[in-house]
Amino acid sequence: MGYELHITRAAEYYDSEEHPIALDEWFSYAENTPALTVGGWIWWGEDRHPFYVYTCADGSVVSMTWFEGAIDVKGHFGGDAYREFGSFAEDLRADLQGDDGERYTASGVLPPDN
């Protein structure tokens, strides 16, 4: 089973629709960020949308896809999550969160809020 990271404005990534990163905002950001390139296309209903790829410092490639108001980061990489994806989250005025609710910050990983 894979593990994902989420760039979200919500307190919990699964509530991202309540505090969304708008789809058009994401596309504009991704298109204007040289580190992101179109990796292919996905279909949502009758609409085709791009997903983006990012090459990590260790050479691994991850996908970044908008889903229900958050950006999902999928793939395997060997680096520090915040160093890899923190600037994307900051640029989007959002947080970087793992599937288990932990938050990745410049000062380290914070445990989930309980």
Side-chain angles (χ1 to χ4, degrees):
M1 175 160 61
Y3 188 81
E4 295 180 15
L5 297 172
H6 311 274
I7 298 173
T8 181
R9 293 181 179 149
E12 300 296 337
Y13 74 88
Y14 47 78
D15 290 329
S16 292
E17 285 181 301
E18 295 174 21
H19 305 281
I21 297 168
L23 181 60
D24 61 340
E25 178 185 7
W26 165 243
F27 286 153
S28 176
Y29 176 78
E31 288 296 320
N32 290 294
T33 302
L36 300 175
T37 58
V38 173
W41 301 88
I42 54 176
W43 288 90
W44 294 328
E46 300 205 10
D47 297 322
R48 181 179 87 145
H49 296 281
F51 69 87
Y52 296 86
V53 294
Y54 171 74
T55 302
C56 299
D58 68 358
S60 59
V61 177
V62 298
S63 68
M64 299 179 77
T65 307
W66 184 92
F67 181 71
E68 297 182 345
I71 310 307
D72 293 339
V73 180
K74 301 176 184 182
H76 298 281
F77 64 97
D80 174 273
Y82 192 80
R83 287 181 193 225
E84 293 287 358
F85 310 108
S87 65
F88 298 131
E90 289 172 9
D91 289 348
L92 291 164
R93 298 173 324 280
D95 295 315
L96 183 61
Q97 190 177 104
D99 273 349
D100 292 331
E102 73 282 7
R103 285 158 177 76
Y104 293 86
T105 70
S107 59
V109 180
L110 304 177
D113 293 334
N114 289 328

